[in-house]
Amino acid sequence: MATVTAVQDWAALKGAWCYAQAQALSSGSARQRLDQGLVQVVVLGLVGRGKSSLLNALVGEPVFATGAVHGVTQGAQAVQWSLGNVRVELVDTPGLDEVGQTTAEQVWALALGAELVLLVLSGDPNREELGILSRLVRAGKPVIVVLNKMDQYPPDAQALLLSRWQSGQLARWVDPKDVIPVAAQPTTWQRTLQGTVVRQPAPPQVEPLRQRLVQELTQLAPALLALNALRTTAQAPPLSAPPAQIEALIWRASTRKALAVAVNPVFGVDLLVGALMDGALLLRLARRAGVSLSAGEAMQFLQLMAGSLGGLGIGASVLKSSFAVGSGLTWLPYVAVAAGQGALAGLATYLVGRLGWQYLMQDKTWGPGSPAATIQQWLGEIDQGAVLTRLRRYLHSPPAHGLQ
Ligand SMILES: Nc1nc2c(ncn2[C@@H]2O[C@H](COP(=O)(O)OP(=O)(O)OP(=O)(O)O)[C@@H](O)[C@H]2O)c(=O)[nH]1
Ligand SMILES: [Mg+2]
């Protein structure tokens, strides 16, 4: 009934991945999957919850490595599977709590791009797991909560675990019929002939989940695919111009950053100081917007932006134009380079400010599309060339414009 047809090892690509590429992979393929009738199901959860074991148990083969040590799965991997007449791509992911920020964002991009997410827990959800669930629910992602390792609990404890999902906040987030207890790789204790007690692997118990997937996918696969393709291609609201005093605040921060980078010859210090200045701008914008923004959230925002701006690159054409110092200037080449870098750094801060303000105004959400797609859309709505020209003019004669 369930046949493994292929294993695609994305871990090999891991080093080459950046956030935007991971996003393109999942959002670009949502439309393709709709055409092909291929449903993507992503497992998500903290390290060691039995995500890989669960997929192995579902497909009936040890496709993915599992183990007691933490962090066995390092990159996303997928296997194609057929469930009745529905073709399914099952995607295994690393534990969200044991990967760096960039990989975590890649995993999130995959999860938010998938048709269905299996959130794997192995007991009551902790704070981090509640955070993951809440983000999935807010994104409107169809999710099945899988309570794994049920063999480790006596029947009354199992009933208690399940009962927590029957009412209150958890029942509002997830329909209780979508909370499924399983044991993907159970063990039993057996007495040997010598009288010692040893752990023995027992057959997986994942039939209730398989049944639920059959029910969900054989009936709803076309709807899930169509809805997801629509959602992932949805446009973010257009970037709106901030009020004048906010624009002025963003501009001041951009010129300060441009000057700091232009006069500072030490590249590494530029990066650090630049990131601190951008972070400070975001936090000031949040205060003006009356929105609470933690330092961690600000960092996450800056990392997303950095991914989309291609590190320091921002974009070859913009980079080129920033070095094209206007005619009539007598600057020495190295001064021109410093000014070019300064203008670029200032532009990055300006973009952080403009997108940051919009993001804050939208209650720290990115709209219906993926963050990467939204950032690209918004970046396209700003005349970056004009901002650069203004910044270069400022750098040529800062006193005339005033060092505000
Ligand atoms: N008792 C019991 N152990 C399980 C069960 N499922 C998985 N395990 C064990 O839990 C450990 C982790 O399992 P994995 O499948 O590697 O967990 P994972 O979530 O993929 O872990 P990472 O890839 O490291 O994030 C392994 O030692 C498994 O044998 C289960 O149902 N019962
Ligand atoms: Mg794993």
Side-chain angles (χ1 to χ4, degrees), residues 231 233-241 354-355 357-371 373-382:
R231 201 187 344 243
T233 52
Q235 290 273 305
L239 189 72
S240 50
R354 284 290 306 274
L355 269 61
W357 178 257
Q358 178 101 356
Y359 172 74
L360 291 165
M361 287 288 99
Q362 290 183 189
D363 208 16
K364 297 191 285 183
T365 61
W366 291 102
S370 67
T374 303
I375 289 175
Q376 287 310 327
Q377 183 194 317
W378 286 350
L379 287 178
E381 291 173 32
I382 295 178

Side-chain angles (χ1 to χ4, degrees), residues 30 74-75 91 220 229 254 363 372 383:
Q74 287 290 313
V91 182
L220 294 179
S254 311
D363 208 16
D383 186 348

Side-chain angles (χ1 to χ4, degrees), residues 26-386:
S26 51
S27 68
S29 58
R31 281 189 302 273
Q32 288 169 0
R33 289 199 301 273
L34 174 64
D35 294 339
Q36 299 164 3
L38 176 69
V39 180
Q40 193 178 57
V41 178
V42 168
V43 285
L44 205 61
L46 302 188
V47 77
R49 298 297 193 255
K51 300 176 296 298
S52 306
S53 304
L54 178 73
L55 296 187
N56 289 345
L58 282 174
V59 300
E61 286 185 35
V63 179
F64 301 112
T66 65
V69 290
H70 270 193
V72 172
T73 309
Q74 287 290 313
Q77 292 177 299
V79 61
Q80 289 205 5
W81 184 43
S82 46
L83 192 64
N85 58 355
V86 182
R87 288 171 54 234
V88 180
E89 183 175 58
L90 293 172
V91 182
D92 191 14
T93 63
L96 271 174
D97 51 339
E98 292 236 339
V99 290
Q101 184 67 39
T102 313
T103 308
E105 283 304 333
Q106 290 164 358
V107 170
W108 269 110
L110 275 170
L112 296 176
E115 276 72 50
L116 177 67
V117 170
L118 303 181
L119 175 60
V120 183
L121 311 176
S122 57
D124 278 329
N126 64 19
R127 256 186 87 177
E128 216 168 338
E129 290 168 322
L130 286 175
I132 295 172
L133 180 60
S134 133
R135 184 167 172 187
L136 290 170
V137 171
R138 275 186 288 132
K141 189 62 30 193
V143 53
I144 292 179
V145 172
V146 182
L147 300 182
N148 189 30
K149 306 197 185 185
M150 280 296 129
D151 57 301
Q152 292 182 333
Y153 297 89
D156 52 342
Q158 289 184 20
L160 195 65
L161 277 175
L162 266 171
S163 71
R164 299 202 219 284
W165 294 87
Q166 311 291 322
S167 60
Q169 181 67 32
L170 292 179
R172 277 196 293 280
W173 277 349
V174 184
D175 188 329
K177 76 174 186 325
D178 286 328
V179 181
I180 318 270
V182 301
Q185 218 176 87
T187 49
T188 54
W189 296 98
Q190 281 182 5
R191 193 174 287 280
T192 63
L193 289 175
Q194 290 76 29
T196 50
V197 177
V198 291
R199 267 174 102 124
Q200 289 287 332
Q205 294 156 24
V206 292
E207 193 51 25
L209 175 61
R210 213 188 58 80
Q211 289 295 337
R212 182 73 193 92
L213 287 173
V214 168
Q215 196 187 16
E216 177 86 5
L217 297 184
T218 51
Q219 288 173 11
L220 294 179
L224 279 177
L225 281 163
L227 268 177
N228 201 32
L230 258 178
R231 201 187 344 243
T232 48
T233 52
Q235 290 273 305
L239 189 72
S240 50
Q245 73 274 26
I246 297 298
E247 172 73 28
L249 192 155
I250 295 170
W251 178 249
R252 267 199 308 278
S254 311
T255 52
R256 280 205 188 113
K257 166 94 156 299
L259 259 184
V261 171
V263 299
N264 195 331
V266 188
F267 188 66
V269 174
D270 286 349
L271 284 180
L272 181 66
V273 171
L276 287 175
M277 290 171 96
D278 289 354
L281 169 63
L282 261 182
L283 294 174
R284 286 187 69 184
L285 288 172
R287 270 201 301 280
R288 291 286 193 99
V291 174
S292 77
L293 186 80
S294 68
E297 286 174 320
M299 278 266 296
Q300 201 175 331
F301 178 93
L302 290 179
Q303 254 159 351
L304 268 175
M305 286 290 294
S308 294
L309 295 175
L312 272 191
I314 294 189
S317 56
V318 174
L319 188 75
K320 231 166 138 190
S321 73
S322 76
F323 283 96
V325 182
S327 61
L329 287 170
T330 54
W331 285 24
L332 295 171
Y334 67 85
V335 179
V337 168
Q341 279 187 357
L344 261 187
L347 171 64
T349 297
Y350 182 83
L351 299 174
V352 163
R354 284 290 306 274
L355 269 61
W357 178 257
Q358 178 101 356
Y359 172 74
L360 291 165
M361 287 288 99
Q362 290 183 189
D363 208 16
K364 297 191 285 183
T365 61
W366 291 102
S370 67
T374 303
I375 289 175
Q376 287 310 327
Q377 183 194 317
W378 286 350
L379 287 178
E381 291 173 32
I382 295 178
D383 186 348
Q384 297 180 27

